[in-house]
Amino acid sequence: MGSIQPGLSWPYQGGAFPEGLLAIVQRTVSEARFPALTVIHDEEDDWLVCDDVHDPNEDGASTVQHLHHVLALDPSLAELVTMPPGFVAHRTSATTSWEISEWVYADD
């Protein structure tokens, strides 16, 4: 499939997410109805931000937007800038620490 933004690749200069970096974000997170509890940096260098409650694959559940909008809602996501492709960060609530592990897509 390829990255949604092939012009920006990890690692990022300056140790911060680039201002124009796109991500696939669950609407419940982008609308501040639920916190981001799962962040995936997939093998194609894309970022996915989910609430870990609702199905992000349902029609209309997710949107592509600039990651800096989500960072404005939850600055703790900035900690994940060093997470390499192929990894996922989980936490149990908006106030707990991120736990990072290798990401593997579930078999369909």
Side-chain angles (χ1 to χ4, degrees), residues 36-108:
L37 299 179
T38 299
V39 177
I40 301 165
H41 189 188
D42 72 13
E43 295 85 2
E44 295 176 335
D45 208 12
D46 291 323
W47 292 86
L48 301 88
V49 182
C50 306
D51 67 18
D52 210 27
V53 175
H54 302 92
D55 184 353
N57 299 309
E58 287 186 10
D59 285 343
S62 299
T63 184
V64 175
Q65 62 182 250
H66 290 110
L67 188 59
H68 73 267
H69 294 296
V70 183
L71 286 165
L73 295 171
D74 184 351
S76 76
L77 273 77
E79 299 170 28
L80 304 178
V81 70
T82 60
M83 185 171 70
F87 282 77
V88 59
H90 289 286
R91 62 183 177 178
T92 56
S93 75
T95 59
T96 58
S97 299
W98 291 103
E99 294 183 21
I100 298 173
S101 59
E102 198 167 354
W103 172 249
V104 179
Y105 280 103
D107 291 334
D108 291 282

